[in-house]
Amino acid sequence: MSSILCLLSVQDGRIKRSSLEAMSHANTLARAEGWSLEAVLLGSKAADLAETAGRHGADRVLVIKDPVFDSHLNAPLLAGLEAVVKAASPRLVVAASTESVKDVLGALAVRCDAAVLPDVASFSVQGERIVCERPVMAAKKLARTESSHPLVFVSVRSGSYEVKEAQGAGTVVDVPFQFDAATLGLTLREIVKSAGDTVDLSEARVVVAAGRGVRDASGKALVDELASITGAAIGASRAVVETGLFPATAQIGQTGKVVSPDLYFAVGISGAVQHTAGMANSRVIVAINKDPDAPIFDLATYGLVGDCFTILPLLNAELKKVMASR
Amino acid sequence: MKFCVCIKQVPDVQASVQTGRMVLNAYDASAVEEALVINEGTDDPVDLVLIGSASATETIRKALAMGASEATHLVAEGEGLDSHAVAALLAAHFEGHAYDVILTGKQSQDTDAGLAGSMLAERLGLPYATNAVGLRAEGDTLVVTRQGDAGQEILALKTPCLVTCSNDMNNPRIPALKGIMAAKRKQIDTRSITPPGPRTRVTTTLEPPGREPGVKLEGEAADMVAELVRRLDAEANVL
Ligand SMILES: Cc1cc2nc3c(=O)[nH]c(=O)nc-3n(C[C@H](O)[C@H](O)[C@H](O)COP(=O)(O)OP(=O)(O)OC[C@H]3O[C@@H](n4cnc5c(N)ncnc54)[C@H](O)[C@@H]3O)c2cc1C
Ligand SMILES: Nc1ncnc2c1ncn2[C@@H]1O[C@H](COP(=O)(O)O)[C@@H](O)[C@H]1O
């Protein structure tokens, strides 16, 4: 029997929502094709999360309980994933398009002799072909792309599918693995976490994003306050990250992260294509910009033309009232 | 350090109407910039390699004008080169060379694939890092800062190695007249090649689903705010 193998990314002891989104769709496809659905979990706590994988449709959960996977490093991850792909010999491998996955996807495809459809917005099985749609030209176009290669890897943009529970057997299978650190051509010296990230940007239901119009620390304080009132994650444009006011992990767009929350506030952001490539799929977009011709207004559900330094204090006060009455 | 940067010519994604104007992939421009900065004041080369149509010479000249040393132009006409085919061709190119560091962009601006770099590293058996936002030479080690999911990872790579570069690394220089003149005399080794078959194929290009037209509020800030909050609550139901 053919199968779909889902690579599940773990952060802060939880399976990332984007991984469960991709697996939920993979489950739908697997059931329609009569294929099995398998999940992969790597790291010292891998087995603890197998139950969650089972609850989202996994028939088997392939685990490697090795602490080498607890912080991201591409060489061991590649070796681990190679072992798992070879053990499962699936038709299709599905993963969320996280930075860790992007880091190894191409190399893994060479190692496993696979074709890759990266960063897709949707995918399906059509007979011998795996077909997907992926944004191109800074998300101004969608390219329908396909592969008939016997093994295909697909990475999925966050927010492309809903998470759906589906009971699978969730049988845990330990995959034998040994990694010789002496063969490493690289070492991880340090991980510099950016301070103040309380909500994961790519999973947030509400995002407050700041642009160059936010300008300085007093603007940042207003943005922070709006985020705390609405329980939002904080995003930023490249221009404002460059000023050092916001961390690079907050950057949204073609170079940065892709988000698709229910509610997106764009504060002092012009709406360059490289920025909108990362947020155009948000359900409701609120834009605050003093330039009535700013391109962000073309995407905005609600556009407010005005100075964010005047608008945000009023908005924060008003939202505080509404939230307090809940 | 001996660098070679893989560069690609792409359509200008920023243009609102496609005029056929082609540019140097922005991520590759950052890779060229970084290599030039690291090698400043040394005699070590920053070479280039590009796979593309004959008209891509223009893009090669631009990168040479930034200060790169020499270039190889592997001429492949027509569409249909995917990252898999590019990596196979580049791997064959690098077989006869001994570079300390191969740089690529983290992705092509037009396709956002982000695969060719790590595919090439794997084919060459090199240690690699992707999505680099900083590079520094330390003896024969390359120290790379990469933007990861939850923060920045600082990695030490033994050379030879490969790194894919983010444009968040630097702002590429604009070539000065002197550089442009010098680039005209620099050598471009041009060869015809036949690409291997791609593993993925674009069948159609569609318009993305459009958004419902929105509401633009203007006037007094307090009125706009009241109206926004009312609509967020009652109409959009997101509070
Ligand atoms: C290859 C490539 C990749 C890129 N990737 C990304 C990416 O991932 N993410 C990204 O964001 N950008 C990216 N960019 C950069 C992008 O092209 C823009 O330069 C950037 O998004 C601009 O950021 P901004 O809107 O904050 O700044 P600006 O374009 O300077 O806009 C600032 C806006 O703030 C408004 N404003 C100013 N003061 C106020 C005020 N007091 N109140 C209200 N409004 C005010 C102005 O009217 C203006 O519209 C990329 C560029 C390239 C070439
Ligand atoms: N035709 C090409 N010629 C030379 N290098 C290329 C070519 N296509 C891609 N690359 C390199 O691979 C990187 C991106 O890979 P990808 O996003 O997979 O296309 C680019 O930034 C270049 O450094």
Side-chain angles (χ1 to χ4, degrees), chain A residues 55-70:
Chain A
R55 220 169 353 95
H56 291 84
D59 298 312
R60 290 203 305 165
V61 186
L62 310 183
V63 301
I64 303 178
K65 285 175 261 174
D66 193 314
V68 71
F69 302 115
D70 291 348

Side-chain angles (χ1 to χ4, degrees), chain B residues 6-8 25 27-28 49-52 81 83 86 90 103-108 111-117:
Chain B
C6 306
I7 61 171
K8 182 184 179 187
N25 187 30
Y27 301 98
D28 305 352
V49 57
L50 176 144
I51 305 165
L81 271 181
S83 308
V86 165
L90 289 174
L103 296 182
T104 73
K106 80 162 188 155
Q107 66 204 47
S108 297
T111 63
D112 284 342
L115 297 169

Side-chain angles (χ1 to χ4, degrees), chain B residues 11 36 54 66 68 71 84-85 100 110 122 174 176 178 181-182 211 214 236:
Chain B
L36 291 172
M66 289 173 72
H84 164 79
D100 298 310
D110 53 344
E122 177 65 21
I174 311 290
K178 191 164 152 241
M181 298 310 288
R211 290 186 69 85

Side-chain angles (χ1 to χ4, degrees), chain A residues 210-215 236-242 251-257 264 267-278 288-296 304-311, chain B residues 13-14 25-27 107 109 167-168:
Chain A
R212 204 196 322 250
V214 165
R215 211 163 62 212
S237 73
R238 177 160 185 254
V240 79
V241 167
E242 269 186 329
Q251 184 167 317
I252 291 170
Q254 190 175 21
T255 299
K257 294 194 164 102
Y264 188 91
V267 184
I269 292 179
S270 61
V273 285
Q274 295 92 350
H275 182 78
T276 59
I288 302 172
N289 196 303
K290 67 179 183 189
D291 173 8
D293 298 322
I296 192 72
L304 275 65
V305 182
D307 189 328
C308 63
F309 286 85
T310 317
I311 293 174
Chain B
V13 301
Q14 214 148 342
N25 187 30
Y27 301 98
Q107 66 204 47
Q109 255 178 302
N167 63 327
D168 290 343

Side-chain angles (χ1 to χ4, degrees), chain B residues 10-206:
Chain B
V10 295
D12 180 1
V13 301
Q14 214 148 342
S16 47
V17 182
Q18 284 304 312
T19 56
R21 194 173 94 93
M22 303 293 279
V23 297
L24 171 60
N25 187 30
Y27 301 98
D28 305 352
S30 284
V32 173
E33 174 66 33
E34 201 67 13
L36 291 172
V37 169
I38 291 177
N39 275 359
E40 208 155 81
T42 74
D43 292 331
D44 291 343
V46 176
D47 289 346
L48 307 171
V49 57
L50 176 144
I51 305 165
S53 67
S55 63
T57 317
E58 206 186 316
T59 290
I60 298 176
R61 291 276 176 218
K62 190 183 160 207
L64 287 172
M66 289 173 72
S69 321
E70 305 183 344
T72 303
H73 184 175
L74 303 174
V75 182
E77 296 295 342
E79 303 277 304
L81 271 181
D82 65 356
S83 308
H84 164 79
V86 165
L89 291 168
L90 289 174
H93 169 74
F94 283 111
E95 230 128 73
H97 291 83
Y99 289 104
D100 298 310
V101 183
I102 297 172
L103 296 182
T104 73
K106 80 162 188 155
Q107 66 204 47
S108 297
Q109 255 178 302
D110 53 344
T111 63
D112 284 342
L115 297 169
S118 74
M119 285 179 160
L120 176 59
E122 177 65 21
R123 282 179 179 271
L124 298 173
L126 295 177
Y128 71 92
T130 62
N131 203 14
V133 293
L135 280 190
R136 191 161 48 81
E138 228 176 58
D140 60 359
T141 297
L142 194 68
V143 180
V144 180
T145 304
R146 79 175 286 272
Q147 187 64 50
D149 283 303
Q152 296 190 331
E153 294 152 19
I154 299 172
L155 301 158
L157 274 73
K158 277 189 218 146
T159 56
C161 63
L162 183 148
V163 178
T164 86
C165 300
S166 168
N167 63 327
D168 290 343
M169 186 176 243
N170 54 42
N171 288 311
R173 67 194 68 186
I174 311 290
L177 187 62
K178 191 164 152 241
I180 297 170
M181 298 310 288
K184 295 207 164 107
R185 291 186 305 272
K186 286 181 184 167
Q187 194 190 326
I188 301 180
D189 178 9
T190 306
R191 293 179 225 175
S192 264
I193 44 144
T194 312
R199 286 188 176 174
T200 59
R201 198 166 68 90
V202 176
T203 52
T204 35
T205 306
L206 317 160

Side-chain angles (χ1 to χ4, degrees), chain A residues 8-16 19 41-42 45-46 49:
Chain A
L8 301 179
S9 299
V10 176
Q11 197 171 315
D12 303 326
R14 287 185 314 113
I15 299 175
K16 283 195 146 217
S19 293
L41 283 163
L42 306 178
K45 304 233 167 56
L49 297 166

